[in-house]
Amino acid sequence: ELKVEQNPLFLSMQEGKNYTIYCNYSTTSDRLYWYRQDPGKSLESLFVLLSNGAVKQEGRLMASLDTKARLSTLHITAAVHDLSATYFCAVDTGDMRFGAGTRLTVKP
Amino acid sequence: DSGVTQTPKHLITATGQRVTLRCSPRSGDLSVYWYQQSLDQGLQFLIQYYNGEERAKGNILERFSAQQFPDLHSELNLSSLELGDSALYFCASSVRGHRETDSGNTIYFGEGSWLTVV
């Protein structure tokens, strides 16, 4: 069965710092998605990564995909409070399976 | 607003009861997904439909069932409810259920239906 593992599950950061969230998955796939969820809210699509080596950037967030290593990363640069949320990766193998999520808290 | 509509937004019911959650996908989307999100289980994939047909099944209990109608809206039926079924149930939709396209398969989530079983 497909496993999608994220780490860390909880991340507390100071504003202005950098950090990386990791997403490992257990089956062959070249389609990886990142979503953001604010507390009590729906999930919002952030990035779509469709090939090995794909890199996408939006503001302070950058996502990359290494299909050989079955690894995607979400890098946060100079974190700000507004980035506090839960971040999910999802792998497309015909249906969409999500990781457990990384709850990010950015403190002033 | 993702374009995916879910009703009801909140629901409180007693153990042993049955409820139906409704979902209207984005215009033009043929695939509908159902997910359950609880504090201890995270975001669990339940089931996927594509153009009226079941495409994939995840961790859906036998007490739960779903269907997608000809107009593409979907319903998730939860029966013999237990306290542990209390969760946020999301519906999501996407344009396809296959992997032929190169544009990816971003799925768009509704606002969810909060179910509380008491």
Side-chain angles (χ1 to χ4, degrees), chain A residues 36-105:
Chain A
R36 167 183 170 142
Q37 184 182 33
D38 292 303
K41 302 293 186 182
S42 185
L43 282 78
E44 172 191 357
S45 175
L46 290 175
F47 298 110
V48 180
L49 303 168
L50 300 178
S51 62
N52 185 40
V55 177
K56 294 280 184 72
Q57 182 161 6
E58 178 76 29
R60 300 174 188 274
L61 299 177
M62 183 173 71
S64 65
L65 178 61
D66 180 343
T67 58
K68 291 182 173 56
R70 299 180 183 175
L71 170 69
S72 180
T73 61
L74 180 65
H75 187 72
I76 303 154
T77 302
V80 293
H81 179 70
D82 284 352
L83 291 180
S84 296
T86 300
Y87 293 86
F88 291 91
C89 63
V91 177
D92 183 4
T93 58
D95 57 59
M96 295 285 275
R97 300 298 178 113
F98 283 76
T102 297
R103 185 176 297 179
L104 170 65
T105 303

Side-chain angles (χ1 to χ4, degrees), chain A residues 8-15 17-19 21 76 79 84-85 102-108:
Chain A
L9 297 182
F10 297 92
L11 177 56
S12 181
M13 305 176 57
Q14 294 293 127
E15 277 191 332
K17 298 293 187 184
N18 304 332
Y19 208 85
I21 299 170
I76 303 154
S84 296
T102 297
R103 185 176 297 179
L104 170 65
T105 303
V106 181
K107 298 182 176 179

Side-chain angles (χ1 to χ4, degrees), chain A residues 1 29-31 33 35 37 40-45 48 50 88 92-100 103, chain B residues 33 35 37 43 45 48 56-59 88 90 96-97 99 101-107 109-111 114:
Chain A
E1 183 182 327
S29 176
D30 56 1
R31 295 161 186 256
Y33 304 76
Y35 286 81
Q37 184 182 33
K41 302 293 186 182
S42 185
L43 282 78
E44 172 191 357
S45 175
V48 180
L50 300 178
F88 291 91
D92 183 4
T93 58
D95 57 59
M96 295 285 275
R97 300 298 178 113
F98 283 76
R103 185 176 297 179
Chain B
Y33 307 75
Y35 291 86
Q37 187 174 38
L43 192 63
F45 168 69
Q48 178 198 357
K57 189 176 275 192
N59 302 320
L88 180 55
F90 282 112
R96 61 167 176 82
R99 303 189 66 230
T101 73
D102 291 330
S103 60
N105 186 37
T106 300
I107 65 174
F109 283 79
E111 295 297 309
W114 286 93

Side-chain angles (χ1 to χ4, degrees), chain B residues 46-80:
Chain B
L46 296 178
I47 198 163
Q48 178 198 357
Y49 281 84
Y50 175 75
N51 204 20
E53 299 291 327
E54 183 183 304
R55 286 280 299 182
K57 189 176 275 192
N59 302 320
I60 188 166
L61 299 172
E62 286 192 11
R63 301 183 285 109
F64 296 0
S65 64
Q67 55 184 325
Q68 187 180 27
F69 295 88
D71 67 352
L72 302 177
H73 91 272
S74 179
E75 291 181 355
L76 179 66
N77 300 295
L78 314 174
S79 62
S80 302

